[in-house]
Amino acid sequence: MTSMTIRAAWALCLPLLLAACVRAPEDRLPSLKVDPARVEVAGLSAGAYMATQSHLAWPDIFSGAALVAGGPWGCAGGQLTTALGTCMKGTPAPDVDALVTQAREASAAGRLGPLDALARSRVYVLHGKDDTRVAANVSQAAATFYDTLRAKMPALASMQVTWDGDRDFGHNLPVAASGDDCRTSVAPYLGHCGFDAAGAIFKQLYGPAPMPAKAATGELRSFDQNRLRPDGRDAFLADTGYAYVPKACMDGAACGVLVVFHGCKQNVESVGEAFVREAGFNRWADAYHVAVLYPQTRASFAPLNPQACWDWWGYSGAHYDTREGVQQQWLLRALAALGVPQARVDLKQP
């Protein structure tokens, strides 16, 4: 083979070799036609704490929150020891009055959103009687937090708060199927309890189902979470997140958005796609015409977060539970990318 032939062969092969070495980029989030009155947030355990943080950070975006086995906003106060004690074991119980005062002060300072916007909110707090990880009085404090806000702020008289704490299940998200893991807390933390928690969450946040929920027929899409880093800052998330998009939403129908935050050790790296496929949200998403956003965390030892929890005690920075927190800033960008109108407005504000 002549040198010219060799050079020609390399010219043809080198691009193919480089393509084989470079990881193909993940999909972006689809831009949807979003009904701004139907944007909600939900979460389990650490994800429930993240949900209430998101609800208070962006009450102008979220019109409701569902909290499963989680406590009130601001519970940990930036201290891991408080998180593990007061905010999980409930000894001592969270000081709800103090937390409400702190929330109102943070809102007045612009670190949380305008709390008057909570007037349109529906709040659903779900807790299993057999939960040995998070004490019942901690979840009860979450409901009491919203009730106390409503009592102290006349503008919130129309806010709806529902406490559901008399069901027999452990520290998990119950699903409609039955099995022997309902009262335990084992991966993937979906308890086969004969109770469809996802369906109850949709009903509480969006109202009665417009049609029966059948098998999910939409598309579960992955997307590159790093594209959404605020100003390039690390939000301590996995490379890849997930979104379930019903066919109607992809075809241009006006749709709602439900953000669902997984619990600790429930991210895709830990349990595969069990949570994002089998928790029950996707089939209800089809019935309600709601896209479901499943952001994903990553485990780390610096900062210390070996169980891939959402930040509800301060590992990502001092402002973790406000709209200044890096995970909240990331979330705002994800919602804007999905097409949530108010998220795009908030992004432009200083």
Side-chain angles (χ1 to χ4, degrees), residues 47-126:
Y49 276 107
M50 185 65 176
T52 194
Q53 289 170 186
S54 302
H55 191 206
L56 267 68
W58 314 110
D60 51 344
I61 295 176
F62 294 113
S63 55
L67 317 176
V68 184
W73 175 87
C75 184
Q79 300 295 322
L80 180 57
T81 53
T82 303
L84 297 175
T86 294
C87 306
M88 290 186 67
K89 298 177 181 178
T91 51
D95 187 342
V96 171
D97 285 334
L99 295 176
V100 166
T101 297
Q102 292 169 23
R104 297 180 70 182
E105 291 173 349
S107 176
R111 295 192 301 275
L112 294 178
L115 297 186
D116 284 357
L118 293 171
R120 64 192 178 119
S121 280
R122 299 163 296 277
V123 179
Y124 178 47
V125 183
L126 175 64

Side-chain angles (χ1 to χ4, degrees), residues 267-339:
N267 58 330
V268 168
E269 183 181 11
S270 300
V271 300
E273 294 184 351
F275 184 74
V276 301
R277 289 189 181 276
E278 300 168 17
F281 293 104
N282 298 345
R283 61 193 183 90
W284 286 109
D286 283 351
Y288 281 87
H289 289 183
V290 170
V292 185
L293 178 65
Y294 295 104
Q296 298 292 306
T297 58
R298 72 172 191 264
S300 65
F301 288 95
L304 186 62
N305 182 31
Q307 296 186 356
C309 303
W310 289 98
D311 188 6
W312 61 283
W313 68 85
Y315 70 74
S316 67
H319 304 295
Y320 68 98
D321 58 357
T322 75
R323 57 171 50 191
E324 299 170 6
V326 68
Q327 291 184 350
Q328 290 300 333
Q329 285 292 311
W330 180 93
L331 176 61
L332 186 64
R333 283 153 179 77
L335 293 171
L338 273 173

Side-chain angles (χ1 to χ4, degrees), residues 187-203:
Y189 311 102
L190 300 175
H192 297 78
C193 304
F195 169 58
D196 187 355
I201 287 169
F202 265 95
K203 184 176 181 180

